[in-house]
Amino acid sequence: LNHSRNKTVIVELKNGYRYIGKLNAFDIHINIVLNDAVEHKDGEFKRKLGTVFIRGDTITVISPS
């Protein structure tokens, strides 16, 4: 994750949502902060969110975009 800091990542959650944004910060629990985040559900764009905090226990995948 350190190599992906300030780069765009894709974060997939257990509930099927996908967030794409720049990785700003993370901690030992893999809680993460994304900047310029956008939300997708079922492959469709939903909305622009800006800065978001995502709890690590909801994340299934973090991938460089």
Side-chain angles (χ1 to χ4, degrees), residues 35-55:
N35 290 331
D36 304 323
V38 293
E39 181 180 73
H40 295 258
K41 175 71 172 176
D42 300 323
E44 290 184 23
F45 170 81
K46 290 295 184 186
R47 58 188 171 162
K48 291 183 180 181
L49 296 172
T51 302
V52 296
F53 173 86
I54 303 173
R55 281 182 54 107

Side-chain angles (χ1 to χ4, degrees), residues 5-62:
R5 195 176 293 221
N6 297 317
K7 295 181 182 162
T8 302
V9 294
I10 300 168
V11 180
E12 295 182 10
L13 305 186
K14 293 177 184 176
N15 64 6
Y17 281 85
R18 175 183 287 178
Y19 295 90
I20 301 172
K22 288 188 179 178
L23 180 62
N24 184 4
F26 62 92
D27 65 12
I28 61 169
H29 304 289
I30 316 298
N31 296 319
I32 65 171
V33 177
L34 295 179
N35 290 331
D36 304 323
V38 293
E39 181 180 73
H40 295 258
K41 175 71 172 176
D42 300 323
E44 290 184 23
F45 170 81
K46 290 295 184 186
R47 58 188 171 162
K48 291 183 180 181
L49 296 172
T51 302
V52 296
F53 173 86
I54 303 173
R55 281 182 54 107
D57 63 351
T58 65
I59 296 171
T60 58
V61 175
I62 302 174

